[in-house]
Amino acid sequence: MTTELARLQNFGPNWFASVMGTGIVATAGATLPIHVPGLHVFSRCVWVVAAVLLIVAVTVQWVRHPTVARGHVHNPQMAHFYGAAPMAFMTVGAGALLVGHDLIGERLAVDLAWVLWTAGTLGGLFTAISIPYVMFTQLSVAPDAAFGGWLMPVVPPMVSAAGGALLIPHMAPGTGRETMLYGCYAMFGLSLVAALIIISMIWSRLAHYGTSGTARVPTLWIVLGPLGQGITAAGLLGTQAALAVAPELAAGMAIFSVLFGVPVWGFAVLWIALATALTVRTMRRGMPFALTWWSLTFPVGTFVTGTTQLAVHTGLPAFHVAAGVAYACLLCTWGLVTVRTMRGSVGGSLFQPPASAGPITAKKDQPTAN
């Protein structure tokens, strides 16, 4: 028992990625624009698993070992993953609205969603400010240091924007609803601009230095997070705008969801192709399993929900098919990562202290002489 407790002392904020990755399977399945027999029941079961994982993660990290939980802030790799906790809260909260009401009732589901969305939003705004501040003032950052994890602290406000849109119908008409709508758009912009800056830095690092060739490579998939979640948020806000603002303004917001969503969706497809090629390349060279593999779940799930929103707003069968294919891929990666995580947890390899050695360096293949 003492050994097991000692293992849990190294339970880092990156473990919340498993809650995010599991919760998005439920929410993406609940909103999928094609009918699949048994999918709704499956989504409810997965949501329950995500909710249990959230309770376990919060209990282990912030209740039993709060000092250790706060100690990752100066680790240049781990600090960014503090953004995972707020997103885990809001993912489970969104699931409560979409599928949880069948199990716990409408009133309790709405109340739970409000609590988790509020906690997640406050936490996400805090990480969006504090982690970049620490990075700007204290962390040593090399020219080739940019990686997908840098997006984790700034993406939560985008998740807040999507989750807030789901809560708008449960608010009384009036100023409160309108404030919520504009507040969600503000968080949408906050996260989008910050994410675009970081994505540009990641692209620059890949072009100049290459990849690390380590288990950090799957974090390239995190780039899909702000892209897919941005499309999702724009679509949901465009749908709910009619409840909060004048018809002509609401119509413009609905149009924006398509004008913004389709081009960003196109870039997301490009990034999927690049990230797939780089991930497969690294796996063929013996990439070890790590919690970074959960980057293959939540970001892909946001691509599914974003594609679903485009299917809803455009009615195009192509987006219906794309959402179905993407969800099938999400299920495959989620199943693979879940099994590997369970094995690593039982074996104890995933409970090692975070690396505190020198920075991870990137490098390119040397050209072969003719």
Side-chain angles (χ1 to χ4, degrees), residues 19 58 121 288 312:
V19 183
V58 171
T121 297
V312 170

Side-chain angles (χ1 to χ4, degrees), residues 278-289:
L278 292 171
T279 303
V280 170
R281 171 179 176 267
T282 309
M283 291 182 70
R284 292 178 64 183
R285 300 181 180 190
M287 180 177 67
F289 178 77

Side-chain angles (χ1 to χ4, degrees), residues 13 171 178 241 304 309 312 333 344:
M171 300 179 67
E178 187 174 2
V304 176
Q309 285 303 309
V312 170
T333 56

Side-chain angles (χ1 to χ4, degrees), residues 168 171-182 244:
I168 287 176
M171 300 179 67
T175 304
R177 255 188 191 176
E178 187 174 2
T179 302
M180 173 67 115
L181 180 71
Y182 284 117

